[in-house]
Amino acid sequence: MNKPLFIIFYFLLSLPLYSQAKLDTLLPVRGFCIGAPQPKDVDRFIKFINEELASRKVNTLILRVDFNYQYESHPELRDSIALSKKEVKKMVAACRKNNITIIPQINLLGHQSWANTTHNLLKKYPEFDETPHVQMPAKYQWPNPDGLYCKSYCPLHPTVHTIVFDIVDEMCDVFGSNAFHAGMDEVFYLGDDKCPRCAGRDKAELFAGEVRTIRDHLAQKNRKLWIWGDRLLDGKTTGLGMWEASYNNTYRAIDLIPKDVMICDWHYERPDQTPVLFAMKGLQVITCPWRMPKFAVLQTQDMVRFRASSTPEMKDKYQGMMQTVWSSAGQFLDEYYGQATNSNANGNTASNCFRTMYNEITQLGK
């Protein structure tokens, strides 16, 4: 082969590498977050990883596992139908093949119940409940006199972390992960006046203390902590409200938590530019849309602009984008592949948001 032809041939072979490098510079984290599939949906989900995530150069997958795993350390915490180690390893192998970092999530602190259902940790260990005096209703509705959205465990209970860290370590080991997502969003019950350990304590310090405890445990094995960012935002001053931000004063914890915690900043109804706050506090941050394609495009453009217009010291704080899905994996796959539709959504669905956001990322990366 003569030299000019060799150069052209080499250049064509290198195009995917150049494209990958540009995307990595543009948005280091290109993520997707979803509940871990039920065993019956694992093969379908692996097809989605191979064909849809890989083709869009997604490089980070967060799977919300919670109790959907056959834990060996605490089998009492398993869901009745749960993933086996073999099934998890199949998903891990698919991600490894496609250069996707897979990160497991177990909801810690908050989200220990949903509607009228108590989740496995408090069901099996009711002594961990921050508010045992709040009884689960036969029929849940919001608002309610108890201010019940989701239960929390007491972060100061002397044995709660013994149990929690057993399953966190097991989960990280089976996923072979160097990071762990602890959730920690929408914590309404914290420092309750009737808690014998937490009553009267500063809620920001309680929240920051739990973040630090989890972070320090993970750091023993060189693992990084990821959390949702809503409890670190002042809901009243910003007008973000009690769901996307804090009304119970946990927001001051933003100045108290370790700076190596990754913040997943979610805003679903507006493209709020709060990543700037997290970055200026010295925290790495990614923006997380859900179902509004037009806002996901704006948020993606914002994140790229933040990185492009920042000092070298600040640029690395803006880490990228992550699509979130809040239906089950099976429901999402049905929606994505056209086996189920929501005629009332007017295109505002997680699957459409995912396609639109990654189309924008692809265009920006050209």
Side-chain angles (χ1 to χ4, degrees):
M1 183 182 293
N2 62 41
K3 190 172 182 179
L5 286 176
F6 174 78
I7 292 172
I8 293 171
F9 181 70
Y10 180 79
F11 175 75
L12 291 174
L13 285 177
S14 301
L15 280 177
L17 296 178
Y18 284 126
S19 174
Q20 182 74 46
K22 185 171 182 180
L23 279 176
D24 288 343
T25 299
L26 194 74
L27 295 167
V29 174
R30 302 178 299 281
F32 187 79
C33 173
I34 194 169
Q38 292 287 300
K40 64 182 177 63
D41 291 315
V42 166
D43 289 341
R44 235 183 3 146
F45 188 68
I46 289 173
K47 170 184 167 70
F48 178 77
I49 293 172
N50 288 330
E51 297 179 0
E52 307 301 331
L53 297 187
S55 66
R56 290 171 172 83
K57 300 295 190 293
V58 172
N59 64 7
T60 304
L61 171 62
I62 291 179
L63 281 186
R64 300 191 308 273
V65 180
D66 293 316
F67 306 110
N68 178 19
Y69 180 68
Q70 296 175 17
Y71 290 106
E72 295 176 6
S73 59
H74 289 281
E76 73 277 10
L77 296 179
R78 300 175 181 178
D79 285 339
S80 58
I81 300 173
L83 293 165
S84 67
K85 182 182 290 187
K86 182 178 180 181
E87 288 161 338
V88 167
K89 291 296 187 183
K90 287 174 65 175
M91 293 187 285
V92 170
C95 288
R96 185 175 294 119
K97 180 182 73 172
N98 292 296
N99 297 313
I100 297 172
T101 297
I102 187 167
I103 300 173
Q105 176 184 321
I106 301 171
N107 271 317
L108 299 186
L109 193 55
H111 277 283
Q112 300 305 317
S113 70
W114 182 256
N116 59 352
T117 300
T118 302
H119 293 326
N120 294 4
L121 181 67
L122 297 190
K123 188 184 297 181
K124 298 298 182 181
Y125 297 94
E127 65 271 24
F128 295 162
D129 193 343
E130 174 72 6
T131 53
H133 56 279
V134 176
Q135 299 300 306
M136 299 301 293
K139 182 179 179 181
Y140 174 82
Q141 60 182 6
W142 178 269
N144 56 72
D146 289 317
L148 172 65
Y149 173 55
C150 296
K151 286 268 195 175
S152 303
Y153 65 68
C154 173
L156 299 185
H157 192 283
T159 60
V160 66
H161 294 109
T162 302
I163 305 298
V164 164
F165 288 160
D166 281 348
I167 61 173
V168 167
D169 291 346
E170 183 176 354
M171 186 91 310
C172 289
D173 288 344
V174 74
F175 275 87
S177 177
N178 61 1
F180 171 78
H181 200 303
M184 303 192 70
D185 58 318
E186 299 177 331
V187 178
F188 290 179
Y189 284 157
L190 184 65
D192 188 79
D193 289 341
K194 295 182 180 179
C195 177
R197 296 164 294 272
C198 298
R201 293 180 180 265
D202 186 310
K203 291 178 173 58
E205 292 183 0
L206 283 169
F207 188 87
E210 184 64 2
V211 172
R212 192 179 306 108
T213 296
I214 299 166
R215 178 264 178 204
D216 289 352
H217 177 81
L218 293 170
Q220 293 174 19
K221 295 187 177 180
N222 296 314
R223 290 168 175 153
K224 185 180 179 74
L225 173 61
W226 293 41
I227 64 172
W228 303 112
D230 52 286
R231 296 306 94 189
L232 302 175
L233 298 171
D234 181 346
K236 293 181 180 179
T237 300
T238 62
L240 290 171
M242 66 187 299
W243 303 97
E244 296 185 21
S246 171
Y247 270 16
N248 63 353
N249 296 323
T250 60
Y251 64 87
R252 290 185 294 101
I254 196 171
D255 293 315
L256 304 175
I257 66 173
K259 299 303 183 184
D260 56 2
V261 175
M262 177 70 83
I263 304 300
C264 300
D265 182 37
W266 61 273
H267 298 292
Y268 298 152
E269 308 302 327
R270 297 170 311 278
D272 296 299
Q273 298 184 344
T274 47
V276 176
L277 172 63
F278 289 113
M280 295 198 69
K281 291 292 186 178
L283 295 158
Q284 289 189 318
V285 59
I286 59 177
T287 295
C288 306
W290 171 34
R291 62 175 183 172
M292 304 291 282
K294 66 177 182 179
F295 292 152
V297 168
L298 292 173
Q299 288 169 314
T300 301
Q301 294 170 350
D302 283 344
M303 183 59 69
V304 170
R305 187 175 70 255
F306 295 154
R307 286 180 58 79
S309 60
S310 293
T311 63
E313 291 81 3
M314 288 288 289
K315 181 178 180 179
D316 185 57
K317 305 303 180 190
Y318 300 108
Q319 280 289 294
M321 300 293 298
M322 181 170 71
Q323 170 69 38
T324 63
V325 176
W326 296 102
S327 60
S328 70
Q331 288 173 313
F332 173 80
L333 293 172
D334 287 345
E335 175 190 300
Y336 187 84
Y337 290 113
Q339 296 166 333
T341 58
N342 183 351
S343 59
N344 296 322
N346 296 318
N348 294 323
T349 65
S351 60
N352 195 30
C353 190
F354 167 68
R355 288 189 176 97
T356 303
M357 185 180 85
Y358 273 96
N359 285 345
E360 181 67 15
I361 290 172
T362 300
Q363 291 300 314
L364 291 171
K366 287 183 178 179

